[in-house]
Amino acid sequence: MTLRNWRLRSFVVAIMAATTVMVVVLVVAALLAISIPALEDETQREVQLQANDHANRTQIVLGALESRLEVVGESHALVDAEVFAGVLDMIIARTPMLRALYLVDANGRVTAAGLDSSMSRLRSEILGSDLSSTPLLRATQATRSTTWSDTYLSALSGVLTVGVATPAGDSHVLIGEVPLDAVMSTLEETGSTRLAALWVIDSRGEVITESRHGPGARRMNLNGLPLLQASLAGTPLPPYIDFEGQRYHAGLALSEALNWRFVTIAPTGLDNPRVSRMVIAIGAAFAIALLLGVLLSRSLAQLLLAPLNSIIAQARDTAHGRQGHWPRGPVVELNALSGDLEAMAAHLQSLNLDLEQRVAQRTEALAESNRSLQATLAELERTQHELVRAEKMAALGGLVAGVAHELNTPIGNGLMAVSTLQGQAGDFRRCMQAGLRRSDLDAFLLNVDQAADIATRNLSRAADLVTSFKQVAVDQSSAQRRRFMLDEVVDEIIITLRPSIRRLPFSIETDIQPGLELDSYPGPLGQVLANLINNALIHAFEDREQGTIVIAARRAEDGRIRLTVSDDGQGMDASVLEQVFEPFFTTRKGRGGTGLGLHIAFNAVANVLGGSLTASSAKGRGSCFELHIPAIAPSMSETGATA
């Protein structure tokens, strides 16, 4: 993994800033870990206090109203009916929470009514109304005590109302209607600036009203809420409730008069305004601390790095050969570094002078070695060229030996026929002197014909051999380009090699596709084939009593000629096969092998014929040398070869 390269100032600033960030993060984490639970506990306590406060305030307001109605009910027996009706109107006018007061007799009939100005026109309709079936009236008549009702829709005023009834005398009941809006207005006045939202829940579990910033539960029934269940069961209240996928702190207080439950809720976590404000404040403090840390880090880094930069500048000047004063400063460690670098610079200068002297000496020695190596290389190149030429001359020598051996038989036969004819001519001359007979003449003519036939046939064979040998010799002694048939060149090569293999128990077979015409260099091609055949004779059949060499040729799909020379000899192992074309590599070192035959063949194929030569073999399975050459060879200038 590649590490990023830092400038020292940036690195120091980054380290100091990272340290500041880590410290601030730890402090912030500690503050949040301590403060958030404390704020949550405080919120929970305040929520419960607000619930108690709402219940107490409502109880006080409704208790005052209840007391006033009880006084009015007790005064019923002291005044006549007309005066009492006026008292009811006066009470309505002086009590904003009351909208109507009904005096109901024992039969449930309204005998007197006090109404606010909006309902005064309904007085005639209300008087005489039958309220005997009203649960509130029946409960008060049964208990003869003040009773409050749940919310209901007033049958007389048509307004959602909370009813309160108190005994008036021995048989009458005084019923007051308090509009729900009037009760709720007192709650809104006391809770407009409160942290928690308020639910007012009646005895049936229905939400009567909800404060403006509540989560939207109005007119819902929350009887299944675990908080209400715990309240009804008298068990400890849970500190949280889950509503609409969100968790809230919850507090609950009961109003004994109305049997209402006042539930206050405040969101938890970041939805809690106190927590969110604290997080924002801490975040702002974190950002400010980080900014100050970065600014201070830059200043401190500059102060720390100023003397170090001076040391670096002096080190750079010293590296470029400019001497100067090594700085000192207030930091002990940097002074020690400057002193050590100064001593190192002096020591390096001394070593540099010594090194220059050594370099000069080594340079001279290397130059001398280089001259010697160049001379040796030139000598090796001359030796290689001499060996290659010697190899070619050896091949030509073998060719000459083959020519001499092959011509010996036909020329000897012709010479014998001519010498025999010469003797017979002497005999014929003597016969003529003694007297020529016809039978002698016929015998002499017969002998002349036979001798002429023998001489002609053998001299013709010698002439053919000389022509083939001459063509092969010309081809192998010079790289002349011409058009030729591949099978003819192969046959000529085999003819030149036949004298040397006639006495060996090995055979050469050919399988040349007819009609393969090449425009190439037959001399190098013949030399390649001769080297491959001689290589097989020398190496493949060593210690073998028989063997076969097969020369095959086909035109490949790409138009090139695929020529193979294969044998069924002993083959080569992998280590020999890897080096078989390298110059001077031979397995017969010390036994007449030069190691150049296959190297010369490889170079001739690549540099003259424009093809490739590869070898494949396995120990005990013979070898195969494969040539891929174009039918039209490239020119010498294209391959860079020389004749």
Side-chain angles (χ1 to χ4, degrees):
M1 182 179 64
T2 303
L3 297 178
R4 178 183 175 185
N5 294 324
W6 291 72
R7 294 182 64 86
L8 183 57
R9 178 180 177 182
S10 301
F11 187 74
V12 172
V13 170
I15 290 295
M16 298 180 73
T19 303
T20 302
V21 170
M22 291 178 62
V23 172
V24 173
V25 166
L26 291 176
V27 172
V28 168
L31 288 175
L32 292 176
I34 296 173
S35 301
I36 289 180
L39 285 177
E40 296 284 9
D41 292 343
E42 182 180 349
T43 301
Q44 178 62 37
R45 289 192 297 272
E46 186 166 340
V47 164
Q48 184 59 50
L49 289 175
Q50 289 185 18
N52 294 336
D53 185 53
H54 283 301
N56 292 335
R57 286 176 177 271
T58 302
Q59 191 72 24
I60 291 171
V61 171
L62 296 182
L65 181 61
E66 181 181 327
S67 299
R68 179 173 292 188
L69 290 182
E70 288 177 351
V71 171
V72 172
E74 291 174 358
S75 67
H76 170 260
L78 303 176
V79 297
D80 58 22
E82 294 183 0
V83 174
F84 190 75
V87 171
L88 294 181
D89 286 335
M90 181 184 66
I91 294 299
I92 291 295
R94 293 183 178 181
T95 308
M97 290 188 66
L98 286 173
R99 191 171 190 185
L101 281 174
Y102 309 119
L103 181 64
V104 182
D105 61 16
N107 296 322
R109 298 287 179 177
V110 178
T111 59
L115 304 173
D116 65 5
S117 58
S118 64
M119 295 179 60
S120 58
R121 67 181 184 281
L122 301 176
R123 188 184 301 272
S124 59
E125 298 177 8
I126 292 174
L127 292 175
S129 297
D130 185 5
L131 300 181
S132 60
S133 61
T134 303
L136 179 61
L137 175 62
R138 284 199 246 169
T140 304
Q141 289 175 339
T143 61
R144 302 305 298 172
S145 62
T146 301
T147 306
W148 288 86
S149 72
D150 283 330
T151 57
Y152 65 93
L153 188 65
S154 173
L156 300 178
S157 64
V159 176
L160 193 62
T161 302
V162 175
V164 56
T166 185
D170 294 332
S171 60
H172 287 70
V173 175
L174 183 63
I175 299 176
E177 289 188 349
V178 182
L180 184 61
D181 292 342
V183 178
M184 293 303 104
S185 64
T186 62
L187 296 176
E188 289 292 339
E189 290 174 2
T190 60
S192 59
T193 59
R194 299 287 181 124
L195 170 68
L198 172 66
W199 289 336
V200 180
I201 303 174
D202 64 14
S203 60
R204 297 185 297 270
E206 294 183 356
V207 178
I208 301 173
T209 188
E210 180 181 23
S211 59
R212 296 188 187 96
H213 56 288
R218 189 161 185 168
R219 303 304 175 194
M220 293 179 65
N221 191 300
L222 302 180
N223 227 7
L225 202 66
L227 184 71
L228 295 183
Q229 294 293 323
S231 173
L232 293 173
T235 58
L237 302 178
Y240 302 100
I241 63 170
D242 293 314
F243 182 77
E244 299 293 334
Q246 187 171 352
R247 172 160 287 193
Y248 295 90
H249 294 285
L252 183 146
L254 178 67
S255 171
E256 297 292 346
L258 299 174
N259 197 23
W260 287 357
R261 290 170 178 80
F262 294 83
V263 177
T264 51
I265 59 173
T268 62
L270 292 177
D271 294 325
N272 187 338
R274 288 180 174 175
V275 174
S276 61
R277 284 195 297 269
M278 184 194 68
V279 171
I280 291 172
I282 292 178
F286 172 78
I288 293 172
L290 180 60
L291 179 61
L292 291 176
V294 171
L295 294 177
L296 289 175
S297 298
R298 292 172 62 87
S299 300
L300 291 175
Q302 183 65 28
L303 181 63
L304 175 64
L305 296 178
L308 184 58
N309 288 331
S310 299
I311 295 175
I312 293 172
Q314 180 57 44
R316 187 179 298 112
D317 290 343
T318 301
H320 288 84
R322 297 188 294 270
Q323 300 299 321
H325 175 69
W326 287 87
R328 299 293 190 273
V331 181
V332 174
E333 287 79 2
L334 293 181
N335 289 338
L337 175 62
S338 180
D340 292 342
L341 289 176
E342 184 176 13
M344 185 184 299
H347 184 60
L348 287 176
Q349 185 176 10
S350 174
L351 290 176
N352 189 43
L353 294 175
D354 184 49
L355 182 61
E356 289 178 354
Q357 295 175 358
R358 292 186 180 182
V359 168
Q361 295 172 358
R362 293 291 178 86
T363 302
E364 180 62 28
L366 287 174
E368 182 63 29
S369 298
N370 188 41
R371 288 191 292 270
S372 177
L373 287 174
Q374 288 179 346
T376 303
L377 180 60
E379 183 64 26
L380 285 174
E381 290 179 349
R382 287 194 298 272
T383 302
Q384 183 177 7
H385 290 315
E386 289 296 329
L387 287 172
V388 171
R389 188 171 65 178
E391 187 77 15
K392 291 183 178 179
M393 294 304 294
L396 288 175
L399 177 62
V400 171
V403 169
H405 181 81
E406 193 69 16
L407 288 177
N408 185 57
T409 299
I411 292 175
N413 291 337
L415 180 61
M416 182 182 65
V418 172
S419 61
T420 301
L421 181 60
Q422 183 180 12
Q424 290 176 349
D427 293 339
F428 181 72
R429 187 177 296 110
R430 286 190 295 272
C431 288
M432 286 180 62
Q433 293 174 357
L436 183 63
R437 292 177 299 182
R438 183 177 181 85
S439 59
D440 293 332
L441 178 60
D442 291 339
F444 176 73
L445 290 176
L446 179 61
N447 291 333
V448 169
D449 289 338
Q450 291 177 350
D453 180 62
I454 293 172
T456 300
R457 284 188 288 105
N458 282 276
L459 289 176
S460 296
R461 174 171 173 75
D464 292 339
L465 288 173
V466 168
T467 300
S468 298
F469 294 152
K470 181 181 177 181
Q471 184 62 57
V472 172
V474 169
D475 287 340
Q476 292 195 7
S477 61
S478 64
Q480 293 183 356
R481 179 174 185 149
R482 66 183 176 89
R483 301 181 70 87
F484 59 91
M485 301 303 293
L486 181 59
D487 53 353
E488 294 178 358
V489 170
V490 172
D491 289 340
E492 290 172 354
I493 296 301
I494 293 174
I495 288 173
T496 61
L497 295 176
R498 184 168 290 124
S500 61
I501 66 173
R502 179 174 295 168
R503 295 182 302 274
L504 300 176
F506 311 126
S507 62
I508 299 178
E509 298 178 359
T510 60
D511 181 15
I512 309 297
Q513 179 181 340
L516 295 181
E517 185 179 14
L518 282 73
D519 182 1
S520 187
Y521 302 92
L525 177 58
Q527 186 178 13
V528 169
L529 290 176
N531 285 352
L532 294 177
I533 293 172
N534 285 327
N535 182 74
L537 294 174
I538 295 172
H539 298 283
F541 302 134
E542 187 175 14
D543 300 329
R544 299 284 292 272
E545 295 183 356
Q546 60 181 2
T548 302
I549 299 173
V550 179
I551 303 174
R554 294 288 185 274
R555 189 182 298 277
E557 294 180 357
D558 58 359
R560 296 165 71 90
I561 304 302
R562 178 177 177 269
L563 179 62
T564 60
V565 178
S566 58
D567 62 71
D568 56 359
Q570 61 185 1
M572 297 177 282
D573 57 27
S575 61
V576 173
L577 188 62
E578 289 178 357
Q579 309 174 72
V580 71
F581 295 119
E582 294 181 4
F584 308 110
F585 174 76
T586 178
T587 58
R588 294 175 58 86
K589 188 168 295 184
R591 292 185 290 169
T594 63
L596 288 175
L598 292 181
H599 177 65
I600 292 173
F602 183 87
N603 287 336
V605 173
N607 299 329
V608 179
L609 302 179
S612 63
L613 175 60
T614 58
S616 60
S617 181
K619 197 68 175 174
R621 297 185 181 180
S623 302
C624 179
F625 291 86
E626 186 171 309
L627 290 80
H628 281 269
I629 57 176
I632 300 176
S635 63
M636 290 289 192
S637 59
E638 292 177 356
T639 60
T642 59

